């Protein structure tokens, strides 16, 4: 358990924690892998969410998943991607949290994951919470603690 | 300024902050790009340090830098990599800190960079400090603050 005081400081900017789905690049599970490759070269994230037609998050995909698929022994052959869909190479282990946030849970999960997917009560993808956004609040916290102690 | 108390808690595990150079994959600036590509498919980091012969860090390279180079309009052509070296496509803006650490500086810089390169007094690369390691200490901090307040 963390105290209410600490939780409140960390949650002060909770509105900013969530990088909303409109701002997060994603691909569909039935998209051709070549589409995902193009997409991933244009975004700053290493891995992006994979959604199904219902708007549920079903996986994550990154350049490494696709480049691995192109390798033929030590040679790289883009024709290996032909016919493959995003769902054929995506990672299916996705760290998920629900809004409203539990800060303690977020802090723990972000140790092992660069970002967490956020879903609503219908299990639909609404955005992500990143290490970057939480670190902004931590910067705020370490200063705030001192002000309160003085 | 952050207080000594907060700084001490965050620094309690400072020995663990540094992921030492032996554990960090890197490439040399004169390596062929195809070598970096192979390397990057085998590590969990998105970007890895690029060192010169003197052991100084001169850049960062990730899969996206290399895949971009392979694209010919919308087609992907691995032969575009022929003759290219790591230094031809690496990013040269590298966030660097020196050991001993200034925690406040680290917390600020990690908002915008997933990891910071650490150099010694001879400007030689000694390892990296990651968001992951700092978040471990933050988890510790938020619990410790409460213990001290009780």
């Amino acid at each position: 358990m963390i105290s209410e005081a600490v939780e409140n400081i960390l949650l002060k900017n909770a509105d900013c924690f969530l990088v909303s789905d409109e701002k997060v690049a994603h691909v569909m599970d039935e998209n051709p892998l070549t589409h995902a490759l193009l997409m991933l070269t244009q975004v700053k994230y290493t891995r992006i969410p994979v959604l199904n037609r219902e708007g549920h998050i079903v996986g994550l995909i990154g350049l490494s998943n696709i480049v691995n698929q192109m390798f033929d022994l030590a040679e790289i052959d883009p024709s290996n991607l032909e016919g493959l869909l995003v769902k054929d190479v995506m990672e299916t282990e996705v760290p998920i949290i629900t809004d409203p946030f539990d800060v303690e849970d977020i802090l723990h999960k972000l140790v092992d994951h660069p970002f967490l997917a956020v879903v609503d009560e219908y299990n639909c993808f609404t955005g992500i919470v990143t290490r970057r956004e939480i670190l902004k609040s931590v910067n705020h916290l370490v200063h705030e603690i001192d002000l309160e102690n003085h």
Side-chain angles (χ1 to χ4, degrees), chain A:
Chain A
M1 276 293 293
I2 61 177
S3 75
E4 230 182 289
V6 168
E7 197 169 335
N8 284 343
I9 299 175
L10 283 175
L11 278 175
K12 207 175 270 176
N13 297 310
D15 287 348
C16 312
F17 281 4
L18 185 75
V19 182
S20 76
D21 56 347
E22 298 137 44
K23 289 187 186 162
V24 181
H26 70 262
V27 287
M28 307 301 289
D29 57 353
E30 304 272 357
N31 281 160
L33 209 47
T34 46
H35 170 77
L37 180 63
L38 255 174
M39 186 74 135
L40 280 161
T41 54
Q42 286 157 30
V43 298
K44 62 179 177 158
Y45 294 109
T46 311
R47 282 179 170 61
I48 58 175
V50 180
L51 305 186
N52 65 12
R53 242 185 270 186
E54 288 74 43
H56 300 163
I57 180 160
V58 291
L60 298 175
I61 191 164
L63 278 180
S64 59
N65 304 109
I66 305 177
V67 173
N68 272 327
Q69 206 62 42
M70 279 198 278
F71 266 109
D72 232 351
L73 301 172
E75 287 288 292
I76 197 155
D77 182 358
S79 69
N80 289 346
L81 301 187
E82 277 165 29
L84 286 178
L85 303 180
V86 166
K87 65 181 178 184
D88 297 323
V89 308
M90 70 184 183
E91 296 160 35
T92 52
E93 205 189 301
V94 186
I96 288 177
I97 56 171
T98 48
D99 199 353
F101 305 133
D102 176 52
V103 184
E104 197 171 3
D105 187 37
I106 290 180
L107 279 175
H108 276 141
K109 286 186 174 151
L110 283 178
V111 169
D112 288 321
H113 305 279
F115 70 87
L116 311 173
V118 183
V119 298
D120 64 16
E121 67 267 42
Y122 307 108
N123 206 24
C124 286
F125 176 69
T126 59
I128 59 174
V129 170
T130 65
R131 282 179 178 159
R132 177 172 199 274
E133 298 308 319
I134 293 297
L135 278 170
K136 282 189 200 165
S137 289
V138 168
N139 269 289
H140 182 66
L141 172 74
V142 295
H143 290 97
E144 201 75 2
I145 291 169
D146 295 337
L147 291 179
E148 290 190 1
N149 285 349
H150 282 299

